[in-house]
Amino acid sequence: MKNKEQYTIFAYAPGTEVYAISRWHDDGDPTDHLAIYKARVASWHYDTDDKDVVYWLASMNGKQWGDSVEGQYVSDSFDELVTYAKELWKHEEKI
């Protein structure tokens, strides 16, 4: 028990309406195309390796998304995500 760590985690509660960046793939290969969708948080967990919240999202009609989304790509602010996407493109970082 000597190696216990304490974390303070900020995450959107299940049911919260959020926006998320989704990246398009072509036959499994990532492309430079992305979209920002409105969604609801279905659930989340904390990834101790990446030290980030990982979300499972659902469309507004309740259909689950097919994959998880890293917390850095989820926000309750559409404008915040647009600004973040522009920075990623500007620095040619992978999403």
Side-chain angles (χ1 to χ4, degrees):
M1 296 265 202
K2 293 180 182 179
N3 293 328
K4 276 188 169 181
E5 292 185 28
Q6 183 172 339
Y7 295 91
T8 300
I9 301 169
F10 296 96
Y12 297 106
T16 303
E17 289 185 10
V18 294
Y19 296 92
I21 295 175
S22 176
R23 185 164 182 194
W24 292 91
H25 288 73
D26 185 21
D27 290 328
D29 294 323
T31 69
D32 61 351
H33 300 281
L34 62 82
I36 298 175
Y37 292 99
K38 191 170 190 179
R40 284 190 197 280
V41 173
S43 64
W44 62 268
H45 72 272
Y46 184 75
D47 185 318
T48 55
D49 291 331
D50 291 338
K51 295 191 176 16
D52 195 6
V53 172
V54 177
Y55 290 96
W56 288 94
L57 302 175
S59 299
M60 296 306 290
N61 67 4
K63 184 178 178 185
Q64 292 281 339
W65 284 26
D67 203 354
S68 60
V69 180
E70 294 176 23
Q72 64 184 335
Y73 304 120
V74 176
S75 175
D76 59 359
S77 168
F78 180 82
D79 292 335
E80 181 180 288
L81 280 183
V82 169
T83 301
Y84 186 54
K86 286 179 184 178
E87 286 299 311
L88 293 172
W89 279 328
K90 189 164 98 176
H91 299 292
E92 297 183 21
E93 293 182 31
K94 290 187 176 188
I95 296 175

